[in-house]
Amino acid sequence: MSKTPTSPRRGRPGLSPADLSAGRLRIAGVAERLFQTEGFAAVSMRRLAQEVGCAPMTLYAYFESKADILGLIWARFLTGLFDDLDRLAREVSDPRARVAAISRAYVGYWLAHPDRYRMVFMTEGVTQAQVGVFVGGGDILDRYQLFADSLAAAGVAPSGLKLANDALLSALIGVAHNQITVSAYAWAPGEELAEMLAAAILAEARGRPGALSP
């Protein structure tokens, strides 16, 4: 979703890579606050430019669209999350314990940052096409490969890996979603639920005929 302009846009002088990066981060920081307080759909580029302190057309020297700005915000959240998960995975040598550890940490991140969860998974006014551009245009899918790789290392065969991986991610996101959106209910601790679900999915995947890697 986030593309670096390769030529001057709308008559403005070209930006150096450093200026472009700094400007994008500054704009995204203001946009993050506005999207959280007013909602993505309610914030226009004109409104954002007013808060940034520039002309609306100036924003297009840094971003192609408002959805492009949201994509950078999402990428920042998920990059920070997976940097932490990668470090944790390297510290846990036992494959099954690694699956449990990254599952706990994944849920724990969203529970510690519920506003980020809502912005990534619950933003209104974003089309599936825009989400598809974000997912397909960066390295986020590559970062999520950590879960599949960990399941494979724990003994899930290639034939059952997608099912186990998708089940695990669906379960972890469901735990975070329930705890964040239905907070009036006295849920069991989210990290403990994540660990139990990870163990159950791993056991189910390993218990299927032919599910174990040779």
Side-chain angles (χ1 to χ4, degrees):
M1 179 175 289
S2 299
K3 299 180 181 177
T4 301
T6 57
S7 60
R9 306 175 73 176
R10 304 182 189 271
R12 289 181 54 80
L15 295 166
S16 71
D19 288 341
L20 180 63
S21 178
R24 284 168 62 83
L25 289 176
R26 183 169 69 90
I27 293 167
V30 175
E32 180 182 339
R33 172 175 57 82
L34 289 178
F35 293 164
Q36 286 180 344
T37 57
E38 300 180 18
F40 173 78
V43 177
S44 65
M45 291 293 267
R46 181 176 297 278
R47 173 79 175 93
L48 177 56
Q50 181 182 20
E51 289 295 315
V52 172
C54 67
M57 299 308 292
T58 300
L59 297 180
Y60 292 98
Y62 299 93
F63 293 97
E64 294 184 353
S65 65
K66 188 174 67 168
D68 194 28
I69 301 172
L70 181 63
L72 178 58
I73 295 170
W74 286 350
R76 287 172 56 208
F77 293 164
L78 291 167
T79 297
L81 165 59
F82 277 96
D83 285 349
D84 290 342
L85 293 182
D86 285 341
R87 283 192 292 270
L88 178 60
R90 289 192 295 270
E91 294 170 357
V92 182
S93 58
D94 179 74
R96 298 184 69 176
R98 188 183 311 136
V99 172
I102 63 174
S103 296
R104 288 178 64 101
Y106 183 82
V107 169
Y109 175 87
W110 296 122
L111 296 184
H113 304 286
D115 288 341
R116 295 181 183 182
Y117 176 88
R118 292 187 181 94
M119 190 172 293
V120 172
F121 293 103
M122 300 175 64
T123 293
E124 295 183 359
V126 183
T127 68
Q128 285 299 306
Q130 290 168 332
V131 173
V133 170
F134 170 75
V135 171
D139 66 350
I140 296 304
L141 281 182
D142 292 338
R143 303 302 298 269
Y144 269 96
Q145 185 65 29
L146 172 66
F147 285 95
D149 290 344
S150 298
L151 287 167
V156 179
S159 61
L161 189 55
K162 178 171 174 53
L163 178 61
N165 184 64
D166 289 357
L168 177 58
L169 291 176
S170 296
L172 299 181
I173 293 170
V175 169
H177 186 85
N178 285 341
Q179 301 230 345
I180 290 170
T181 63
V182 193
S183 58
Y185 180 76
W187 298 99
E191 290 91 339
E192 294 181 21
L193 288 171
E195 185 171 352
M196 176 178 285
L197 289 166
I201 290 168
L202 183 57
E204 167 66 16
R206 286 170 55 90
R208 287 171 175 263
L212 293 180
S213 297

